[in-house]
Amino acid sequence: MVLRDIEHAAVTMLDRWRVTITRRQPNEMQNPDISVKFMNNYLGIGCDAKVALDIHMLREESPEKFYNQFLNKMLYAKEGAKDIMDRTCADLPWKVRLEVDGVDIEVPEDSQGILITNIGSYMGGVDLWQNEEEHNDDFDPQSMHDKVLEVVSICGTWHLGKLQVGLSRARRLAQGQLIRIRTFVSSFPVQIDGEPWIQQPCSLEIAHHGQAFMLKRAAEEPLGHAAAIMAEVLENAVCRGVINAAQKRALLQEMALRLS
């Protein structure tokens, strides 16, 4: 079944993002500590990253507990329930500053998490941006290859649980190509594509890095099959010297964008 889906998949493009983390040193004469990570899917700061971090630490301590999908979900629910009681990220709006394309964005006072998303699927399929729903704002539909990121806020792990079962919506805050998040005073949990850590006060800058070819399940099977044939034709053209590798990539990219 998986191989059949791959055979009939369509080629598409996925934006990739560079996350630059800058931490000021106590001594202003010292150069700042700068590290770089890369994001494909999403970045989260606050309660969602806190739950991911707790699960990660539990998996490191007791890997034998993570032996089936159902139990994994139960453990996630348990850690989420603990966070509901602790409200460890309730002060997030007063300890972060969000800037999108040079404009300061107000973080709602009830927010316990901020999510920057590149794709329309989070946490096992949750659509945070909800392109298909009606909204009272002027934001554009989300796309994973438009070189634009979407920013939403969530009100805690209970809100995350309601999102999973379709009983609530994330709050849409902004769209943009350059996103900066500054954290003050205390450390905060952060995650990129499911990899969590505790981050000391810093500046996070998210900027477009490039694009990668991906396979996407085609809504219509003949469309995916046609895309696969075209990709094979271009590969044969490269082998015969009709076009070069750069031309093949440009044609594939244009084809992927049009098919998407």
Side-chain angles (χ1 to χ4, degrees):
M1 185 66 179
V2 175
L3 293 177
R4 184 174 179 276
D5 287 342
I6 293 174
E7 181 182 359
H8 295 283
V11 179
T12 189
M13 303 298 298
L14 175 70
D15 289 326
R16 300 190 67 233
W17 300 85
R18 181 180 66 256
V19 183
T20 304
I21 304 170
T22 304
R23 185 183 174 198
R24 297 292 176 184
Q25 300 290 358
N27 184 350
E28 293 186 0
M29 298 297 293
Q30 293 179 304
N31 292 327
D33 179 19
I34 299 176
S35 60
V36 176
K37 296 178 181 289
F38 294 94
M39 181 189 94
N40 294 322
N41 303 324
Y42 59 85
L43 179 148
I45 177 170
C47 63
D48 71 300
K50 174 67 164 55
V51 173
L53 181 63
D54 290 342
I55 290 293
H56 173 74
M57 294 175 64
L58 181 60
R59 184 184 287 113
E60 292 289 312
E61 295 172 1
S62 307
E64 70 279 358
K65 293 183 178 181
F66 295 82
Y67 60 85
N68 68 55
Q69 190 175 14
F70 176 75
L71 183 59
N72 292 353
K73 290 184 177 181
M74 293 297 293
L75 291 171
Y76 266 96
K78 177 183 175 183
E79 295 301 324
K82 285 168 56 179
D83 191 70
I84 291 173
M85 301 300 294
D86 295 341
R87 290 178 56 82
T88 52
C89 299
D91 56 353
L92 177 82
W94 295 275
K95 293 188 176 180
V96 301
R97 178 185 174 189
L98 173 64
E99 178 186 304
V100 179
D101 289 344
V103 178
D104 287 337
I105 304 297
E106 181 180 358
V107 178
E109 292 187 1
D110 59 352
S111 299
Q112 295 188 41
I114 297 172
L115 287 160
I116 293 93
T117 69
N118 184 42
I119 63 173
S121 179
Y122 168 77
M123 201 171 60
V126 176
D127 181 3
L128 294 173
W129 198 248
Q130 295 187 326
N131 282 347
E132 305 302 324
E133 301 292 330
E134 292 185 3
H135 300 276
N136 297 320
D137 55 43
D138 296 324
F139 294 126
D140 294 324
Q142 184 178 43
S143 170
M144 63 183 180
H145 49 65
D146 59 357
K147 302 179 183 178
V148 172
L149 288 170
E150 284 68 37
V151 185
V152 302
S153 69
I154 52 176
C155 303
T157 51
W158 176 247
H159 189 195
L160 275 176
K162 292 171 70 176
L163 288 171
Q164 276 198 304
V165 295
L167 295 178
S168 186
R169 295 181 178 184
R171 186 172 297 170
R172 310 200 318 177
L173 300 182
Q175 286 181 302
Q177 297 177 312
L178 180 63
I179 297 174
R180 293 189 178 97
I181 300 176
R182 295 180 176 88
T183 64
F184 307 103
V185 184
S186 60
S187 58
F188 264 101
V190 179
Q191 67 163 331
I192 294 178
D193 294 347
E195 296 185 10
W197 74 93
I198 290 292
Q199 179 63 54
Q200 299 302 316
C202 70
S203 172
L204 296 166
E205 181 178 281
I206 309 170
H208 193 256
H209 178 69
Q211 291 182 316
F213 289 109
M214 301 291 292
L215 292 179
K216 178 182 179 180
R217 180 177 294 173
E220 299 179 10
E221 188 173 287
L223 178 64
H225 188 59
I229 292 174
M230 285 188 282
E232 185 176 351
V233 168
L234 292 177
E235 182 64 33
N236 289 335
V238 172
C239 293
R240 296 198 309 270
V242 178
I243 59 175
N244 59 36
Q247 291 169 327
K248 172 198 167 186
R249 180 177 178 84
L251 288 168
L252 273 176
Q253 185 172 357
E254 184 65 23
M255 180 181 73
L257 293 174
R258 289 180 179 274
L259 289 177
S260 297

